Amino acid sequence: VAWTQLNVQITGSVTLGGAPLPGVVMNGLTGSPVTNASGIYSGTEAAGWSGTVTPTLAGYTFTPVSIPYTNIQADQTAQNYSATLLTYTISGTVTAGGSGLMGVTMAGLPGSPVTDASGYYAATVEYGWDGTVTPTLAGYSFSPATRTYADVAGNHLSETYEATLLTYTISGTVTLDSAPLAGVVMSGLTGNPVTDASGHYSAAVDYGWSGSVTPTLEGYTFTPA
């Protein structure tokens, strides 16, 4: 007596936003078939087969999560799944002197988010995202200057940066008949520096500083005043 076992086919597709998604492993089917370039998969089971099929691909979730089968006796077609790419959050704060710094553009993150009044920023990136984030605000340097991400596969929720306000030097000399003049107070500059024996003065000011500098020494006038 010849006996032939009957088989049934389970077929369908996996799509992402309506487009085919290749490389999805259909766990639960014999041989764990993988979707092809058209997002299509096919599995062969013996008639009467029972089991659960679960699509799997790193970085994706699927709807439905799985499909159960019980004692199937006929081909199962159009067993389709829709995929969603996972997303993660990159967030943190930018501080200056221990306080949140507002208005810092986090260049390199999607949407280039800007820090709020608390110095907080946040952005959403897709699974596998690569990029370099650079905080930017006129008049400030940052530590670290940049932060690089590769193949993101989880949230990064405490990515902090410390900002330092840039400073600049205002310096020069005061002379009398081409000879250095010591003891001249440079009123208006930070700390009111006094010229030394070489007639030299120097002061540091913050980025964006505004002011008027007036040299002062009893018995002298100055050009410019």
Side-chain angles (χ1 to χ4, degrees), residues 58-147:
Y60 294 86
T61 59
F62 298 89
T63 302
V65 174
S66 60
I67 298 178
Y69 300 90
T70 302
N71 191 29
I72 59 173
Q73 300 294 332
D75 291 344
Q76 305 293 304
T77 60
Q79 304 295 286
N80 302 330
Y81 301 80
S82 177
T84 301
L85 185 60
L86 293 174
T87 60
Y88 301 100
T89 298
I90 296 178
S91 64
T93 55
V94 181
T95 58
S99 299
L101 182 61
M102 183 179 182
V104 181
T105 300
M106 306 305 292
L109 283 175
S112 297
V114 178
T115 57
D116 63 15
S118 300
Y120 177 79
Y121 70 90
T124 299
V125 300
E126 293 181 339
Y127 172 88
W129 182 80
D130 298 323
T132 298
V133 180
T134 305
T136 304
L137 180 61
Y140 289 86
S141 62
F142 297 88
S143 179
T146 62
R147 191 173 264 123

Side-chain angles (χ1 to χ4, degrees), residues 72-220:
I72 59 173
Q73 300 294 332
D75 291 344
Q76 305 293 304
T77 60
Q79 304 295 286
N80 302 330
Y81 301 80
S82 177
T84 301
L85 185 60
L86 293 174
T87 60
Y88 301 100
T89 298
I90 296 178
S91 64
T93 55
V94 181
T95 58
S99 299
L101 182 61
M102 183 179 182
V104 181
T105 300
M106 306 305 292
L109 283 175
S112 297
V114 178
T115 57
D116 63 15
S118 300
Y120 177 79
Y121 70 90
T124 299
V125 300
E126 293 181 339
Y127 172 88
W129 182 80
D130 298 323
T132 298
V133 180
T134 305
T136 304
L137 180 61
Y140 289 86
S141 62
F142 297 88
S143 179
T146 62
R147 191 173 264 123
T148 299
Y149 299 87
D151 294 325
V152 170
N155 294 321
H156 295 261
L157 303 179
S158 299
E159 305 292 68
T160 60
Y161 298 81
E162 178 65 25
T164 301
L165 186 62
L166 298 176
T167 59
Y168 300 98
T169 299
I170 296 176
S171 63
T173 56
V174 181
T175 58
L176 174 65
D177 295 332
S178 299
L181 182 61
V184 181
V185 178
M186 307 305 292
S187 300
L189 283 176
T190 304
N192 295 323
V194 178
T195 58
D196 60 18
S198 299
H200 179 76
Y201 70 92
S202 179
V205 297
D206 288 337
Y207 171 90
W209 180 84
S210 298
S212 295
V213 181
T214 303
T216 305
L217 181 61
E218 186 175 358
Y220 292 86

